[in-house]
Amino acid sequence: MADGGKRPNKKLLQPLVIPRNAAEEQRLKLERLMKNPEKQVPILEKPKDWAPRPPPEFVRDVMGSSAGAGSGEFHVYRHLRRREYMREEFMEKQAAQQRLEEEFQKKLDNNRKVAEEKTEKRRKKRQKLKEKKLLAKKAKQDSTKTTGSENSSSEEEENSPNDKVDDCEDPSFVMGGR
């Protein structure tokens, strides 16, 4: 090697860029991917949940860890026992998870029911207030109509909407100050 035994490193030639935020980090990753568009990009899938193998339908070697079993049979027994314990533990965890899910759903339903009851109660209260206001308004209008009919008919002629002159035709404010 004529250049002193050192080869140029590709990473040394690239400038060091430190991303300041998540958007810049994403941009750098995209730039790195787009340098070679033909390269396959691995897309990770969600790992499947572990599930134990179903138990065997029947076990041919029905030897336990008791006397009479050969030295190799104990390891077979131990392996089967371990697998069965794992399967039972898995089923217990599933049952506990289902129980928690059912409790959560019951709690959600209960909360939804309580919220609907409160909403209904408040809606009735608002309706009552609205009806009271309407009744008060009608009573006020009725009282003004009864007092208005006692006044002279000349006041009614002045207040009638057909005889009113439109005030909006006369400008109240003129631009330009003249």
Side-chain angles (χ1 to χ4, degrees):
M1 297 200 178
D3 61 344
K6 294 183 181 178
R7 288 189 287 169
N9 193 352
K10 286 184 180 180
K11 294 200 177 207
L12 294 176
L13 296 176
Q14 296 176 352
L16 178 64
V17 179
I18 300 173
R20 292 189 179 98
N21 54 25
E24 196 171 325
E25 184 177 349
Q26 189 71 23
R27 182 181 56 80
L28 290 172
K29 285 181 181 179
L30 282 172
E31 285 177 2
R32 187 171 48 220
L33 284 172
M34 294 309 289
K35 281 183 182 176
N36 189 2
E38 288 84 27
K39 184 178 176 183
Q40 292 283 334
V41 178
I43 298 175
L44 301 176
E45 294 180 8
K46 181 182 174 187
K48 295 179 182 176
D49 290 336
W50 179 85
R53 288 193 297 190
E57 293 188 21
F58 60 92
V59 180
R60 295 187 201 284
D61 303 324
V62 194
M63 283 230 185
S65 60
S66 61
S71 62
E73 298 297 321
F74 173 72
H75 301 294
V76 173
Y77 163 77
R78 186 180 61 176
H79 186 66
L80 288 173
R81 184 184 62 180
R82 182 181 56 83
R83 196 177 315 160
E84 182 63 21
Y85 286 160
M86 286 175 61
R87 191 177 70 81
E88 287 176 4
E89 184 182 344
F90 176 77
M91 291 189 315
E92 288 172 4
K93 283 183 182 178
Q94 264 190 333
Q97 191 174 7
Q98 286 178 350
R99 191 170 46 251
L100 287 173
E101 184 68 28
E102 288 173 3
E103 288 175 8
F104 178 71
Q105 289 300 326
K106 284 180 184 177
K107 189 174 180 181
L108 278 181
D109 291 340
N110 190 20
N111 288 346
R112 190 176 297 121
K113 196 180 297 181
V114 168
E116 287 175 1
E117 288 172 1
K118 282 184 181 180
T119 305
E120 185 64 30
K121 187 177 178 182
R122 290 177 180 163
R123 183 181 298 126
K124 287 180 181 177
K125 190 174 182 180
R126 284 193 304 269
Q127 280 298 115
K128 284 182 183 179
L129 287 173
K130 200 181 270 187
E131 288 173 6
K132 278 186 180 181
K133 284 182 181 180
L134 285 174
L135 289 175
K137 190 175 183 181
K138 284 182 181 180
K140 188 175 181 183
Q141 287 177 352
D142 290 342
S143 66
T144 56
K145 283 183 182 179
T146 55
T147 57
S149 63
E150 294 171 1
N151 292 340
S152 65
S153 61
S154 62
E155 287 181 9
E156 287 180 322
E157 290 174 2
E158 291 174 8
N159 293 335
S160 65
N162 296 337
D163 297 338
K164 279 191 175 179
V165 178
D166 197 9
D167 292 339
C168 64
E169 291 179 4
D170 300 329
S172 60
F173 176 74
V174 180
M175 298 282 291
R178 290 190 187 192

